[in-house]
Amino acid sequence: MADAEKRETAAGATGLRWHKVLLKVSGEALMGSRGFGIDPAVLDRIASEVAEGVRLGARIGLVVGGGNFVRGAKIAADGGDRVAGDHMGMLATVMNCLAMKAALVHRGVPCVVLSALVVPAICETFTQRAAVEHMDAGRVVLFAGGTGNPFFTTDSAAALRAAELGCDALMKGTNVDGIYSADPRNDPAAVRYETLTHQEVLARDLAVMDAAAIALARDNGIPVIVFSIKEPGEFVDVLRGAGRATVVTG
């Protein structure tokens, strides 16, 4: 049976279109209506949707950005040291992953934080082998510390982890319901796309993820699904192949 047919058969059995996914959530999404930090209500809602995905049989990896605390690029733009700023941002992602882990544990979801930065007092250090073993054991794997290197975004980290895990899809939860030709919050004439290719995203310079992340997903044949994480229940709907999202494929 062809791979596509196998996926179709599995989807019919479980109600899921995507079975092994890497979910990327921005740090800003965790702020909710606050201007800084974490909104507990938003954190709990996202955790509840991840828990529902696990209950349905999905294997889930999760990358959370650190922009609700600090952004290395912003520090550099303000005249600071970019490398130090990026390391601060990586530490922010560790904080966010620890918060998400606590929310998931509260809901009875087995999970583990793996960090590309070595912080053994609070979480395990990332290795590809450990990540695969944890996911195969049914745990949600939260990836902290970005790639462990400055000058790489958490989008790139998400694409890298998706490739290392052999994920069916890379899902990016944003503040809007897909990819647009421009920011729809600023341009009412912006056009929304239902489907795109990776190459079209790169050629049109559509700023949904950085170019390195899109190219990595393209080179590894990983679909990128862009949806609104602000819309309650949308993550589970997208897992089922429904919901409102832009699908980027080869």
Side-chain angles (χ1 to χ4, degrees):
M1 183 182 294
D3 288 346
E5 292 174 333
K6 290 178 181 177
R7 287 194 293 270
E8 186 72 20
T9 300
T14 66
L16 295 176
R17 178 180 180 185
W18 312 105
H19 297 84
K20 188 177 186 181
V21 303
L22 194 295
L23 171 63
K24 164 65 196 304
V25 177
S26 69
E28 288 89 340
L30 297 185
M31 291 192 303
S33 59
R34 302 184 178 193
F36 183 82
I38 298 172
D39 184 331
V42 173
L43 181 72
D44 185 66
R45 178 182 61 77
I46 295 174
S48 72
E49 295 183 20
V50 172
E52 176 65 8
V54 171
R55 188 189 68 78
L56 291 171
R59 289 184 288 170
I60 300 172
L62 185 60
V63 168
V64 184
N68 53 326
F69 289 114
V70 64
R71 280 185 174 276
K74 178 65 167 59
I75 289 175
D78 291 340
D81 181 82
R82 174 63 186 268
V83 173
D86 280 352
H87 283 140
M88 292 165 65
M90 292 177 211
L91 290 171
T93 70
V94 175
M95 291 191 290
N96 284 336
C97 281
L98 291 174
M100 183 62 72
K101 178 185 176 183
L104 289 168
V105 168
H106 180 70
R107 291 183 169 274
V109 178
C111 55
V112 62
V113 177
L114 301 182
S115 175
L117 294 178
V118 180
V119 281
I122 54 177
C123 61
E124 296 182 32
T125 301
F126 169 80
T127 67
Q128 188 267 349
R129 176 181 52 79
V132 170
E133 289 176 354
H134 282 301
M135 185 167 278
D136 287 347
R139 300 182 187 97
V140 172
V141 184
L142 298 104
F143 297 102
T147 67
N149 301 290
F151 301 102
F152 288 90
T153 68
T154 48
D155 280 350
S156 291
L160 178 61
R161 301 301 179 233
E164 289 175 312
L165 291 168
C167 288
D168 298 333
L170 169 56
M171 297 186 172
K172 180 164 183 179
T174 70
N175 292 322
V176 293
D177 59 353
I179 300 177
Y180 286 77
S181 58
D183 189 337
R185 296 168 295 184
N186 301 324
D187 183 357
V191 175
R192 180 181 176 278
Y193 302 102
E194 286 288 335
T195 60
L196 288 162
T197 66
H198 297 95
Q199 194 57 41
E200 285 173 333
V201 173
L202 293 171
R204 299 178 191 181
D205 196 22
L206 300 173
V208 63
M209 301 184 89
D210 65 75
I214 294 295
L216 188 56
R218 177 199 61 195
D219 294 347
N220 288 277
I222 302 171
V224 178
I225 319 298
V226 182
F227 69 100
S228 174
I229 197 68
K230 296 178 68 175
E231 187 66 29
E234 198 71 4
F235 172 60
V236 175
D237 285 346
V238 172
L239 276 176
R240 295 179 183 274
R244 186 170 169 83
T246 299
V247 178
V248 181
T249 59

